[in-house]
Amino acid sequence: MPSFDQPDLARAVEGLPIKALDDLPFGAIRLDAEGVVRVYSGAERRLSGSGDRPRLGLHFFREVAPCMDGPRYRGRIERAMAAGGLDLEFGWTGDFGDAERSLRVRVQSAAGGGCWIFMRREGAVALSDY
């Protein structure tokens, strides 16, 4: 199975059957070039606490994760895509099941356009971290 830290993570998951993404120890979401969710792994559903809510075919930033629809997240992704190279990593706080959970997020270009968003949960954020 692919490692969250491997440099070519997007290529590694694209080589897997879609069902295998459900068994990853981190979440995997694939967006098309317009930001519409095309893959939303069972691992992401389970780890995020989002459950069986509809995800496929929805615009990620407007309908799935509007809290990430701003310059700090969507803006960085769009700027990197416009520059021709999408390979970002950053932290994020908040999750469906735990608003104080720390996430490590990686975003890489997807074959054929769009991007993959990978999220690994790091645990709860201590109040002293604010």
Side-chain angles (χ1 to χ4, degrees):
M1 289 300 256
S3 161
F4 185 85
D5 295 312
Q6 71 184 71
D8 59 347
L9 182 54
R11 298 302 151 259
V13 300
E14 288 172 347
L16 296 174
I18 293 295
K19 187 70 177 147
L21 299 178
D22 296 344
D23 297 326
L24 293 172
F26 52 86
I29 303 166
R30 185 182 182 308
L31 308 182
D32 66 16
E34 287 75 41
V36 174
V37 177
R38 297 300 173 198
V39 173
Y40 198 92
S41 73
E44 179 60 18
R45 289 181 181 282
R46 183 180 69 255
L47 296 168
S48 71
S50 69
D52 292 332
R53 295 177 191 167
R55 297 290 181 239
L56 298 180
L58 299 179
H59 191 276
F60 182 75
F61 298 106
R62 287 192 306 260
E63 301 172 285
V64 176
C67 61
M68 295 180 172
D69 191 6
R72 201 171 138 216
Y73 191 84
R74 182 179 184 179
R76 286 180 67 187
I77 292 170
E78 289 176 346
R79 285 190 302 276
M81 288 177 86
L86 184 54
D87 189 2
L88 303 173
E89 184 173 337
F90 47 91
W92 187 261
T93 302
D95 213 342
F96 289 102
D98 183 355
E100 295 183 0
R101 184 179 295 178
S102 176
L103 290 88
R104 192 161 146 222
V105 180
R106 294 189 66 198
V107 185
Q108 294 184 337
S109 297
C115 66
W116 283 94
I117 300 173
F118 304 104
M119 294 191 215
R120 183 169 72 188
R121 276 75 188 170
E122 305 280 330
V125 175
L127 292 177
S128 63
D129 292 342
Y130 288 103

